[in-house]
Amino acid sequence: MRPSTLATRAEAPDPSRARRAGTDATRSEAPIALTGVTKVYRGGGGVRDLSLEVGWGEVFGFLGPNGAGKTTTIRMLLDLIRPQSGSVRLFGLDARTDAVAAHRRLGYLPGELALYERLSARETFAHFARLRGGPDEATVENWARELDLELDRPVRVLSRGNRQKVGLIGAMMNEPDLLVLDEPTVGLDPLVQRTVHRRLREAATAGRTVFLSSHVLSEVAEVADRVGLIRDGRLIAIERVSEIRARAVHAVEVRVGAGAGLAALEGLGGVTVRERIEDGLRLEVVGSLNPILAALAGLDVLDLSVHEPSLEEVFLSYYDGIAR
Ligand SMILES: Nc1ncnc2c1ncn2[C@@H]1O[C@H](COP(=O)(O)OP(=O)(O)OP(=O)(O)O)[C@@H](O)[C@H]1O
Ligand SMILES: [Mg+2]
Protein backbone atom coordinates (compact mmCIF):
# COMPACT_ATOMS: atom_id res chain seq x y z
CA MET A 1 0.00 0.00 0.00
CA ARG A 2 1.17 3.54 -0.62
CA PRO A 3 2.63 5.20 2.46
CA SER A 4 -0.20 7.57 3.11
CA THR A 5 -3.45 7.50 4.94
CA LEU A 6 -5.15 9.27 2.16
CA ALA A 7 -3.21 8.77 -0.98
CA THR A 8 -6.48 8.05 -2.68
CA ARG A 9 -7.42 11.67 -2.25
CA ALA A 10 -4.18 12.97 -3.62
CA GLU A 11 -5.73 13.63 -6.99
CA ALA A 12 -8.03 16.28 -5.59
CA PRO A 13 -6.36 19.64 -6.06
CA ASP A 14 -9.39 21.68 -5.15
CA PRO A 15 -11.48 20.47 -2.21
CA SER A 16 -13.83 23.43 -2.41
CA ARG A 17 -14.76 22.26 -5.88
CA ALA A 18 -15.13 18.73 -4.56
CA ARG A 19 -17.35 20.04 -1.79
CA ARG A 20 -19.50 22.01 -4.19
CA ALA A 21 -19.85 18.90 -6.28
CA GLY A 22 -21.08 17.15 -3.14
CA THR A 23 -24.10 19.33 -2.74
CA ASP A 24 -27.64 19.10 -3.99
CA ALA A 25 -27.79 17.29 -7.31
CA THR A 26 -25.25 14.60 -6.46
CA ARG A 27 -26.73 14.11 -3.02
CA SER A 28 -29.69 12.37 -4.54
CA GLU A 29 -27.49 9.29 -4.77
CA ALA A 30 -26.55 7.32 -1.65
CA PRO A 31 -22.92 7.83 -0.59
CA ILE A 32 -22.56 4.05 -0.24
CA ALA A 33 -24.49 1.38 -2.12
CA LEU A 34 -23.24 -2.20 -2.15
CA THR A 35 -25.26 -4.73 -4.08
CA GLY A 36 -24.63 -8.46 -3.86
CA VAL A 37 -20.90 -7.98 -3.35
CA THR A 38 -18.78 -11.11 -3.08
CA LYS A 39 -15.04 -11.49 -2.58
CA VAL A 40 -13.82 -14.87 -1.45
CA TYR A 41 -10.10 -15.37 -0.88
CA ARG A 42 -8.25 -18.55 -1.70
CA GLY A 43 -8.44 -19.73 1.90
CA GLY A 44 -12.22 -19.41 1.88
CA GLY A 45 -12.46 -16.21 3.95
CA GLY A 46 -13.96 -13.04 2.59
CA VAL A 47 -17.37 -11.48 2.01
CA ARG A 48 -20.40 -13.10 0.48
CA ASP A 49 -23.38 -11.55 -1.26
CA LEU A 50 -23.34 -8.37 0.79
CA SER A 51 -25.89 -5.64 0.09
CA LEU A 52 -26.00 -2.42 2.04
CA GLU A 53 -26.96 1.18 1.54
CA VAL A 54 -25.81 4.06 3.73
CA GLY A 55 -27.51 7.43 3.47
CA TRP A 56 -26.49 11.07 3.80
CA GLY A 57 -25.98 12.40 7.28
CA GLU A 58 -25.76 8.94 8.72
CA VAL A 59 -23.13 7.33 10.95
CA PHE A 60 -23.10 3.64 10.13
CA GLY A 61 -21.31 1.21 12.42
CA PHE A 62 -19.99 -1.91 10.72
CA LEU A 63 -19.68 -4.45 13.46
CA GLY A 64 -18.15 -7.89 13.52
CA PRO A 65 -15.62 -10.12 15.25
CA ASN A 66 -12.06 -10.61 13.99
CA GLY A 67 -11.96 -12.08 10.52
CA ALA A 68 -15.64 -11.34 9.82
CA GLY A 69 -14.95 -9.39 6.63
CA LYS A 70 -15.01 -5.73 7.72
CA THR A 71 -11.69 -4.73 6.22
CA THR A 72 -12.39 -6.74 3.08
CA THR A 73 -15.63 -4.80 2.60
CA ILE A 74 -13.94 -1.46 3.25
CA ARG A 75 -11.16 -2.26 0.79
CA MET A 76 -13.81 -2.96 -1.85
CA LEU A 77 -15.40 0.42 -1.13
CA LEU A 78 -12.03 2.03 -1.79
CA ASP A 79 -11.35 -0.10 -4.88
CA LEU A 80 -8.20 -1.44 -3.21
CA ILE A 81 -9.53 -4.91 -3.95
CA ARG A 82 -12.21 -5.82 -6.43
CA PRO A 83 -15.28 -7.92 -5.85
CA GLN A 84 -15.72 -11.10 -7.86
CA SER A 85 -19.36 -10.19 -8.31
CA GLY A 86 -21.81 -7.51 -7.32
CA SER A 87 -21.54 -3.75 -7.57
CA VAL A 88 -20.01 -1.05 -5.40
CA ARG A 89 -21.24 2.51 -5.88
CA LEU A 90 -20.17 5.66 -4.05
CA PHE A 91 -22.26 8.81 -4.55
CA GLY A 92 -23.88 6.98 -7.44
CA LEU A 93 -20.47 6.55 -9.08
CA ASP A 94 -18.93 3.21 -9.96
CA ALA A 95 -16.26 2.59 -7.28
CA ARG A 96 -13.88 1.24 -9.90
CA THR A 97 -14.37 3.16 -13.13
CA ASP A 98 -15.11 6.45 -11.37
CA ALA A 99 -12.63 5.91 -8.52
CA VAL A 100 -10.86 9.25 -8.98
CA ALA A 101 -14.07 11.26 -8.78
CA ALA A 102 -15.34 9.22 -5.85
CA HIS A 103 -12.08 9.43 -3.91
CA ARG A 104 -12.07 13.22 -4.15
CA ARG A 105 -15.06 13.20 -1.89
CA LEU A 106 -13.96 10.73 0.74
CA GLY A 107 -11.57 10.45 3.63
CA TYR A 108 -10.14 7.06 4.51
CA LEU A 109 -8.46 5.64 7.57
CA PRO A 110 -7.09 2.15 6.83
CA GLY A 111 -6.91 -0.52 9.50
CA GLU A 112 -3.20 -0.99 8.94
CA LEU A 113 -1.98 2.53 8.96
CA ALA A 114 1.08 3.37 6.86
CA LEU A 115 2.56 6.80 7.48
CA TYR A 116 5.54 8.79 6.25
CA GLU A 117 7.76 7.75 9.13
CA ARG A 118 10.33 10.49 8.79
CA LEU A 119 7.89 13.36 8.60
CA SER A 120 6.38 14.97 11.65
CA ALA A 121 2.61 15.06 11.95
CA ARG A 122 2.71 18.75 11.01
CA GLU A 123 4.69 17.97 7.85
CA THR A 124 2.39 15.08 7.03
CA PHE A 125 -0.69 17.28 7.22
CA ALA A 126 1.03 20.08 5.29
CA HIS A 127 1.79 17.55 2.57
CA PHE A 128 -1.85 16.45 2.42
CA ALA A 129 -3.00 20.07 2.49
CA ARG A 130 -0.79 20.90 -0.49
CA LEU A 131 -2.23 18.02 -2.47
CA ARG A 132 -5.80 18.82 -1.57
CA GLY A 133 -5.74 22.59 -1.30
CA GLY A 134 -6.30 22.83 2.43
CA PRO A 135 -7.08 23.08 5.24
CA ASP A 136 -4.89 25.86 6.67
CA GLU A 137 -2.41 25.33 9.48
CA ALA A 138 -4.68 26.84 12.13
CA THR A 139 -7.28 24.15 11.42
CA VAL A 140 -4.63 21.45 11.74
CA GLU A 141 -3.40 22.94 15.02
CA ASN A 142 -6.93 23.00 16.32
CA TRP A 143 -7.35 19.31 15.51
CA ALA A 144 -4.04 18.50 17.19
CA ARG A 145 -5.06 20.42 20.30
CA GLU A 146 -8.41 18.69 20.46
CA LEU A 147 -6.96 15.22 20.10
CA ASP A 148 -3.87 16.02 22.15
CA LEU A 149 -1.37 15.22 19.41
CA GLU A 150 2.23 16.42 19.44
CA LEU A 151 2.75 17.89 15.95
CA ASP A 152 6.50 18.24 15.71
CA ARG A 153 8.00 14.85 16.51
CA PRO A 154 8.73 12.42 13.69
CA VAL A 155 5.84 10.04 13.16
CA ARG A 156 8.17 7.07 13.66
CA VAL A 157 8.62 7.82 17.37
CA LEU A 158 4.92 8.21 18.10
CA SER A 159 2.98 5.68 20.16
CA ARG A 160 0.31 3.58 18.54
CA GLY A 161 -2.50 5.82 19.75
CA ASN A 162 -0.75 8.96 18.57
CA ARG A 163 -0.11 7.43 15.16
CA GLN A 164 -3.80 6.65 14.99
CA LYS A 165 -4.52 10.32 15.67
CA VAL A 166 -2.33 11.28 12.72
CA GLY A 167 -4.33 8.94 10.51
CA LEU A 168 -7.64 10.21 11.83
CA ILE A 169 -6.83 13.89 11.47
CA GLY A 170 -5.50 13.18 7.98
CA ALA A 171 -8.81 11.57 7.07
CA MET A 172 -11.07 14.13 8.71
CA MET A 173 -9.37 17.49 8.33
CA ASN A 174 -10.79 18.26 4.88
CA GLU A 175 -14.35 17.52 5.97
CA PRO A 176 -15.04 15.02 3.19
CA ASP A 177 -18.57 14.05 2.19
CA LEU A 178 -17.86 10.47 3.21
CA LEU A 179 -15.55 9.17 5.90
CA VAL A 180 -14.56 5.51 5.75
CA LEU A 181 -12.79 4.52 8.95
CA ASP A 182 -11.49 1.02 9.68
CA GLU A 183 -11.47 0.65 13.49
CA PRO A 184 -10.82 4.35 14.08
CA THR A 185 -10.63 4.34 17.86
CA VAL A 186 -8.21 1.42 18.27
CA GLY A 187 -5.52 2.48 20.71
CA LEU A 188 -7.15 5.77 21.69
CA ASP A 189 -7.79 6.58 25.33
CA PRO A 190 -11.43 7.11 26.32
CA LEU A 191 -11.20 10.90 26.38
CA VAL A 192 -9.79 11.12 22.88
CA GLN A 193 -12.23 8.49 21.73
CA ARG A 194 -15.08 10.66 22.95
CA THR A 195 -13.70 13.69 21.12
CA VAL A 196 -13.45 11.69 17.92
CA HIS A 197 -17.02 10.47 18.33
CA ARG A 198 -18.22 14.02 18.89
CA ARG A 199 -16.47 15.14 15.72
CA LEU A 200 -18.04 12.27 13.78
CA ARG A 201 -21.49 13.20 15.08
CA GLU A 202 -20.86 16.79 14.03
CA ALA A 203 -19.95 15.62 10.55
CA ALA A 204 -23.20 13.69 10.35
CA THR A 205 -25.22 16.63 11.64
CA ALA A 206 -23.68 18.70 8.86
CA GLY A 207 -25.07 16.15 6.40
CA ARG A 208 -21.90 14.19 5.78
CA THR A 209 -21.70 10.42 6.05
CA VAL A 210 -19.52 8.21 8.24
CA PHE A 211 -18.89 4.49 7.78
CA LEU A 212 -16.83 3.00 10.58
CA SER A 213 -15.93 -0.53 11.54
CA SER A 214 -15.48 -1.91 15.02
CA HIS A 215 -15.73 -5.15 16.90
CA VAL A 216 -17.23 -3.51 19.98
CA LEU A 217 -20.91 -2.62 19.84
CA SER A 218 -20.92 -0.47 22.97
CA GLU A 219 -18.34 1.71 21.30
CA VAL A 220 -20.10 2.18 17.96
CA ALA A 221 -23.45 2.57 19.70
CA GLU A 222 -22.16 5.82 21.17
CA VAL A 223 -21.82 7.34 17.76
CA ALA A 224 -23.72 5.31 15.17
CA ASP A 225 -27.31 5.74 14.00
CA ARG A 226 -27.40 2.23 12.56
CA VAL A 227 -25.33 -0.86 13.05
CA GLY A 228 -24.74 -3.69 10.61
CA LEU A 229 -23.51 -7.00 11.97
CA ILE A 230 -21.21 -9.09 9.79
CA ARG A 231 -20.17 -12.63 10.64
CA ASP A 232 -18.28 -15.12 8.51
CA GLY A 233 -18.49 -12.77 5.56
CA ARG A 234 -22.25 -12.37 5.69
CA LEU A 235 -24.23 -9.35 6.76
CA ILE A 236 -26.71 -10.88 9.14
CA ALA A 237 -28.45 -7.86 10.64
CA ILE A 238 -28.92 -4.14 10.22
CA GLU A 239 -30.60 -2.21 12.99
CA ARG A 240 -31.06 1.26 14.38
CA VAL A 241 -29.14 1.67 17.60
CA SER A 242 -32.30 3.11 19.16
CA GLU A 243 -34.11 -0.14 18.37
CA ILE A 244 -31.40 -2.24 19.97
CA ARG A 245 -31.61 -0.07 23.07
CA ALA A 246 -35.38 -0.35 23.12
CA ARG A 247 -35.07 -4.12 23.18
CA ALA A 248 -32.82 -4.00 26.21
CA VAL A 249 -34.32 -5.79 29.19
CA HIS A 250 -33.60 -4.08 32.49
CA ALA A 251 -33.49 -6.05 35.69
CA VAL A 252 -35.15 -3.89 38.32
CA GLU A 253 -35.29 -4.54 42.05
CA VAL A 254 -37.47 -2.32 44.19
CA ARG A 255 -38.51 -2.21 47.83
CA VAL A 256 -41.17 0.12 49.16
CA GLY A 257 -42.31 1.03 52.69
CA ALA A 258 -44.39 -1.85 54.09
CA GLY A 259 -44.61 -3.21 50.57
CA ALA A 260 -47.53 -0.88 49.92
CA GLY A 261 -48.68 -0.11 46.38
CA LEU A 262 -46.60 -2.71 44.57
CA ALA A 263 -49.63 -3.93 42.70
CA ALA A 264 -49.46 -0.75 40.61
CA LEU A 265 -46.19 -1.99 39.12
CA GLU A 266 -47.37 -5.44 38.19
CA GLY A 267 -49.90 -4.43 35.61
CA LEU A 268 -47.59 -2.11 33.64
CA GLY A 269 -46.85 -2.89 30.00
CA GLY A 270 -43.45 -4.48 29.44
CA VAL A 271 -43.08 -5.39 33.11
CA THR A 272 -42.76 -8.99 34.26
CA VAL A 273 -42.49 -9.99 37.91
CA ARG A 274 -39.54 -12.35 38.37
CA GLU A 275 -39.58 -12.73 42.13
CA ARG A 276 -41.28 -11.43 45.23
CA ILE A 277 -38.91 -10.28 47.97
CA GLU A 278 -39.50 -8.73 51.36
CA ASP A 279 -41.41 -5.45 50.83
CA GLY A 280 -40.51 -5.56 47.18
CA LEU A 281 -40.23 -7.14 43.75
CA ARG A 282 -37.66 -8.23 41.25
CA LEU A 283 -38.85 -7.23 37.81
CA GLU A 284 -37.83 -7.47 34.21
CA VAL A 285 -38.64 -4.37 32.19
CA VAL A 286 -38.62 -4.37 28.41
CA GLY A 287 -38.13 -1.02 26.69
CA SER A 288 -38.51 2.31 28.45
CA LEU A 289 -38.21 2.59 32.21
CA ASN A 290 -40.43 5.67 32.26
CA PRO A 291 -43.75 3.94 33.11
CA ILE A 292 -42.24 2.17 36.09
CA LEU A 293 -40.51 5.31 37.34
CA ALA A 294 -43.79 7.21 37.04
CA ALA A 295 -45.57 4.53 39.05
CA LEU A 296 -42.83 4.57 41.70
CA ALA A 297 -43.10 8.34 42.06
CA GLY A 298 -46.28 7.86 44.09
CA LEU A 299 -44.77 5.24 46.42
CA ASP A 300 -42.49 5.30 49.44
CA VAL A 301 -39.39 3.89 47.73
CA LEU A 302 -36.83 2.45 50.15
CA ASP A 303 -34.48 0.97 47.62
CA LEU A 304 -34.22 0.77 43.86
CA SER A 305 -31.63 -0.88 41.66
CA VAL A 306 -31.56 -1.13 37.89
CA HIS A 307 -29.23 -3.38 36.01
CA GLU A 308 -28.88 -2.67 32.32
CA PRO A 309 -27.43 -5.48 30.26
CA SER A 310 -24.72 -4.38 27.87
CA LEU A 311 -25.86 -3.65 24.34
CA GLU A 312 -23.55 -6.46 23.35
CA GLU A 313 -25.64 -8.91 25.36
CA VAL A 314 -28.86 -7.61 23.88
CA PHE A 315 -27.76 -7.49 20.28
CA LEU A 316 -25.63 -10.60 20.13
CA SER A 317 -27.95 -12.84 22.10
CA TYR A 318 -30.73 -11.89 19.72
CA TYR A 319 -28.71 -12.89 16.68
CA ASP A 320 -26.84 -15.85 18.09
CA GLY A 321 -29.31 -18.36 16.76
CA ILE A 322 -29.22 -16.87 13.28
CA ALA A 323 -25.51 -16.43 13.02
CA ARG A 324 -24.16 -19.70 14.25
N1 LIG B 1 -5.27 -11.24 1.53
C1 LIG B 1 -5.97 -12.27 2.04
N2 LIG B 1 -5.78 -13.52 1.62
C2 LIG B 1 -6.50 -14.56 2.11
N3 LIG B 1 -7.45 -14.44 3.05
C3 LIG B 1 -7.71 -13.20 3.51
C4 LIG B 1 -6.98 -12.06 3.04
N4 LIG B 1 -7.46 -10.97 3.68
C5 LIG B 1 -8.41 -11.40 4.51
N5 LIG B 1 -8.56 -12.74 4.42
C6 LIG B 1 -9.55 -13.56 5.16
O1 LIG B 1 -10.84 -13.03 4.94
C7 LIG B 1 -11.59 -13.02 6.15
C8 LIG B 1 -12.04 -11.61 6.46
O2 LIG B 1 -10.92 -10.82 6.78
P1 LIG B 1 -11.03 -9.29 7.13
O3 LIG B 1 -9.66 -8.76 7.27
O4 LIG B 1 -11.93 -8.64 6.15
O5 LIG B 1 -11.76 -9.34 8.57
P2 LIG B 1 -12.06 -8.17 9.60
O6 LIG B 1 -13.51 -8.25 9.90
O7 LIG B 1 -11.51 -6.90 9.12
O8 LIG B 1 -11.26 -8.66 10.90
P3 LIG B 1 -10.47 -7.85 12.02
O9 LIG B 1 -11.48 -7.44 13.05
O10 LIG B 1 -9.52 -8.85 12.57
O11 LIG B 1 -9.79 -6.69 11.38
C9 LIG B 1 -10.72 -13.65 7.19
O12 LIG B 1 -11.05 -15.00 7.27
C10 LIG B 1 -9.31 -13.47 6.65
O13 LIG B 1 -8.49 -14.49 7.08
MG1 LIG C 1 -10.08 -5.58 9.81
Coordinates of all heavy atoms in Angstrom, one line a residue, residues 41 45-46 65-72 183, ligand 1:
Y41 N -11.5 -15.1 -0.7 CA -10.1 -15.4 -0.9 C -9.9 -16.9 -1.1 O -10.7 -17.7 -0.8 CB -9.3 -14.9 0.4 CG -9.4 -13.4 0.6 CD1 -10.2 -12.9 1.6 CD2 -8.6 -12.5 -0.2 CE1 -10.3 -11.5 1.8 CE2 -8.7 -11.2 0.1 CZ -9.5 -10.7 1.0 OH -9.5 -9.3 1.3
G45 N -11.9 -17.4 3.2 CA -12.5 -16.2 4.0 C -12.9 -15.2 3.0 O -12.6 -15.3 1.8
G46 N -13.6 -14.1 3.5 CA -14.0 -13.0 2.6 C -15.3 -12.5 2.9 O -15.8 -12.5 4.1
P65 N -16.8 -9.6 14.6 CA -15.6 -10.1 15.2 C -14.4 -10.2 14.3 O -14.6 -10.0 13.1 CB -16.0 -11.5 15.7 CG -17.2 -11.9 14.8 CD -17.8 -10.6 14.4
N66 N -13.3 -10.5 14.8 CA -12.1 -10.6 14.0 C -12.3 -11.6 12.9 O -12.9 -12.7 13.1 CB -10.9 -11.1 14.8 CG -10.4 -10.1 15.9 OD1 -10.2 -10.4 17.0 ND2 -10.4 -8.8 15.5
G67 N -11.9 -11.2 11.7 CA -12.0 -12.1 10.5 C -13.3 -12.1 9.9 O -13.6 -12.9 9.0
A68 N -14.3 -11.3 10.3 CA -15.6 -11.3 9.8 C -15.8 -10.8 8.4 O -16.7 -11.2 7.7 CB -16.6 -10.5 10.7
G69 N -14.9 -9.9 8.0 CA -15.0 -9.4 6.6 C -15.1 -7.9 6.6 O -15.4 -7.3 5.5
K70 N -14.9 -7.2 7.7 CA -15.0 -5.7 7.7 C -14.0 -5.0 6.8 O -14.4 -4.2 6.0 CB -14.9 -5.2 9.2 CG -15.8 -5.8 10.1 CD -15.6 -5.3 11.5 CE -14.3 -5.6 12.2 NZ -14.1 -7.1 12.4
T71 N -12.7 -5.4 7.0 CA -11.7 -4.7 6.2 C -11.8 -5.1 4.7 O -11.6 -4.2 3.9 CB -10.3 -5.1 6.8 OG1 -10.2 -4.6 8.1 CG2 -9.2 -4.5 5.9
T72 N -12.2 -6.3 4.5 CA -12.4 -6.7 3.1 C -13.5 -5.9 2.4 O -13.3 -5.4 1.3 CB -12.8 -8.2 3.0 OG1 -11.8 -9.0 3.6 CG2 -13.0 -8.7 1.6
E183 N -11.8 0.7 12.1 CA -11.5 0.6 13.5 C -10.8 1.9 13.9 O -9.6 1.9 14.4 CB -10.6 -0.6 13.8 CG -11.2 -1.8 13.2 CD -11.2 -3.0 14.1 OE1 -11.0 -2.8 15.4 OE2 -11.4 -4.1 13.7
Ligands
LIG1 N1 -5.3 -11.2 1.5 C1 -6.0 -12.3 2.0 N2 -5.8 -13.5 1.6 C2 -6.5 -14.6 2.1 N3 -7.5 -14.4 3.0 C3 -7.7 -13.2 3.5 C4 -7.0 -12.1 3.0 N4 -7.5 -11.0 3.7 C5 -8.4 -11.4 4.5 N5 -8.6 -12.7 4.4 C6 -9.5 -13.6 5.2 O1 -10.8 -13.0 4.9 C7 -11.6 -13.0 6.1 C8 -12.0 -11.6 6.5 O2 -10.9 -10.8 6.8 P1 -11.0 -9.3 7.1 O3 -9.7 -8.8 7.3 O4 -11.9 -8.6 6.2 O5 -11.8 -9.3 8.6 P2 -12.1 -8.2 9.6 O6 -13.5 -8.2 9.9 O7 -11.5 -6.9 9.1 O8 -11.3 -8.7 10.9 P3 -10.5 -7.8 12.0 O9 -11.5 -7.4 13.1 O10 -9.5 -8.9 12.6 O11 -9.8 -6.7 11.4 C9 -10.7 -13.7 7.2 O12 -11.0 -15.0 7.3 C10 -9.3 -13.5 6.6 O13 -8.5 -14.5 7.1

